[in-house]
Amino acid sequence: SRACVLYEESLTMHRELGNKRGIAHSLAQLAQVLFVSQADLARMSPLLEECLVISREVGYKEGIAAYYCISGQLTLSQRDLAIARSLAEKSVALYREMGHRHGTANSLALLGKVLAIEGDYAAAQTPFEQSLTISCELGELWVAAVCLMELGEVVAARRQLAWAAQLW
């Protein structure tokens, strides 16, 4: 709830300053916090749509990639796997194009999750491994921990139980 308050303040300040990149960034971050906290999910779509419109208007690729990634998370939670996969793939491609490693790692983890839910465990393993590598290189241990858990699930589904136990 504190994060929501701070992103709301940030959004207000950026609007007052006319800082469109700041507005787009704050919109995406606020939507992400709402998703993670599972608070007011109905509010996410308008925030994300505004983020996308502004990001396209000013050529803010990071905002567009964030829109794809966060919208992919939301779509996956609604079990629309085809759209979630498309959004995840777009996010990975755009973050890679920008050399944005943190965003790439998060998008790869999302793509791995979609592929795993689709039952394509062999394909899911690669994005999880790539996300894990990037996260460890960046020292983002919380992302790495999530990747280890989800990669363990994929490996277990492939009947490699000893390796899954090690990952967990």
Side-chain angles (χ1 to χ4, degrees), residues 27-45:
L27 288 165
Q29 294 301 310
L30 179 56
Q32 182 68 55
V33 169
L34 291 172
F35 181 77
V36 170
S37 66
Q38 294 292 294
D40 200 4
L41 295 181
R43 189 168 169 226
M44 283 182 63
S45 289

Side-chain angles (χ1 to χ4, degrees), residues 7 25 29 32 62 65-66 69-70 73 91-92 94-96 98-110 130-144 147:
Y7 281 123
H25 180 77
Q29 294 301 310
Q32 182 68 55
E62 187 175 338
C69 187
I70 301 165
Q73 293 169 354
S91 183
V92 168
L94 194 49
Y95 275 128
R96 278 187 171 152
M98 293 184 298
H100 192 294
R101 299 185 77 217
H102 171 79
T104 301
N106 286 336
S107 297
L108 284 165
L110 173 62
Q130 292 172 351
S131 179
L132 179 61
T133 298
I134 294 168
S135 298
C136 288
E137 289 171 355
L138 295 175
E140 295 179 340
L141 300 181
W142 65 275
V143 179
C147 282

Side-chain angles (χ1 to χ4, degrees), residues 39-160:
D40 200 4
L41 295 181
R43 189 168 169 226
M44 283 182 63
S45 289
L47 294 171
L48 289 168
E49 291 303 321
E50 184 181 359
C51 170
L52 181 61
V53 167
I54 292 170
S55 295
R56 284 183 172 158
E57 178 185 324
V58 298
Y60 183 46
K61 288 183 179 181
E62 187 175 338
I64 297 168
Y67 164 84
Y68 290 146
C69 187
I70 301 165
S71 294
Q73 293 169 354
L74 180 60
T75 305
L76 179 61
S77 75
Q78 298 165 341
R79 293 295 195 219
D80 191 336
L81 299 180
I83 292 175
R85 182 175 181 167
S86 174
L87 290 166
E89 289 170 343
K90 289 178 182 179
S91 183
V92 168
L94 194 49
Y95 275 128
R96 278 187 171 152
E97 177 186 313
M98 293 184 298
H100 192 294
R101 299 185 77 217
H102 171 79
T104 301
N106 286 336
S107 297
L108 284 165
L110 173 62
L111 180 57
K113 191 169 192 168
V114 172
L115 292 168
I117 292 171
E118 288 178 338
D120 192 347
Y121 302 115
Q125 188 170 328
T126 300
F128 279 131
E129 288 174 345
Q130 292 172 351
S131 179
L132 179 61
T133 298
I134 294 168
S135 298
C136 288
E137 289 171 355
L138 295 175
E140 295 179 340
L141 300 181
W142 65 275
V143 179
V146 171
C147 282
L148 286 168
M149 181 184 69
E150 292 180 343
L151 180 57
E153 292 173 12
V154 166
V155 169
R158 297 185 74 197
R159 310 301 303 154
Q160 297 171 319

